[in-house]
Amino acid sequence: MTGEQWTPADVSHRFAEAINARDLQGALACWSPAAVIASPDGSEIRGHAALTERFRQLIAVGARLQISVFDQICTELGATAGTRMTMTVSANDAPTVIKTTAVVMYVPGPSGLQILIDHLGLDAA
């Protein structure tokens, strides 16, 4: 890798900060062009075009993200980690809170690690 060598925690936090700041390009920079988000229902969002639309939707509804990273393992070829995300969206003046866990794989990108696979699972709590 050249340039910055972010850890999985760095990448996930930068992504949350970008969404919270309504910075679409900053959010996309955290993801590989070949990235996929796999949802618990089996649906998938693949590639930057689909991610762009999803992130635009999050920004439009004023989503606020908090992400914590655990069990990260890094090598020179990539990394994996578990994440816990809390997303808060205000709807009808009442906040809705969604909590998820995920297994995330990261690969080297032009300026550090990027998210390649984000395999989501809904929390029961």
Side-chain angles (χ1 to χ4, degrees):
M1 270 187 298
T2 60
E4 297 182 59
Q5 294 189 18
W6 304 341
T7 67
D10 292 334
V11 177
S12 292
H13 293 148
R14 286 176 192 243
F15 171 67
E17 289 171 358
I19 291 293
N20 294 343
R22 294 174 166 67
D23 176 5
L24 179 62
Q25 293 308 311
L28 284 170
C30 296
W31 294 75
S32 164
V36 61
I37 299 174
S39 296
D41 66 4
S43 64
E44 295 180 349
I45 300 167
R46 289 182 169 270
H48 266 197
L51 291 171
T52 297
E53 183 56 33
R54 176 56 59 96
F55 300 159
R56 275 192 183 130
Q57 291 169 359
L58 292 176
I59 289 168
V61 299
R64 302 286 301 165
L65 304 181
Q66 292 179 314
I67 300 173
S68 62
V69 175
F70 59 95
D71 291 336
Q72 61 184 17
I73 301 169
C74 302
T75 75
E76 63 277 0
L77 299 177
T80 185
T83 63
R84 290 183 187 95
M85 181 181 74
T86 301
M87 179 171 53
T88 306
V89 179
S90 293
N92 301 325
D93 296 323
T96 299
V97 177
I98 301 166
K99 294 184 178 190
T100 63
T101 58
V103 175
V104 182
M105 295 181 67
Y106 305 80
V107 293
S111 54
L113 290 177
Q114 293 181 311
I115 300 167
L116 177 65
I117 299 171
D118 190 357
H119 190 192
L120 303 174
L122 290 177
D123 280 356

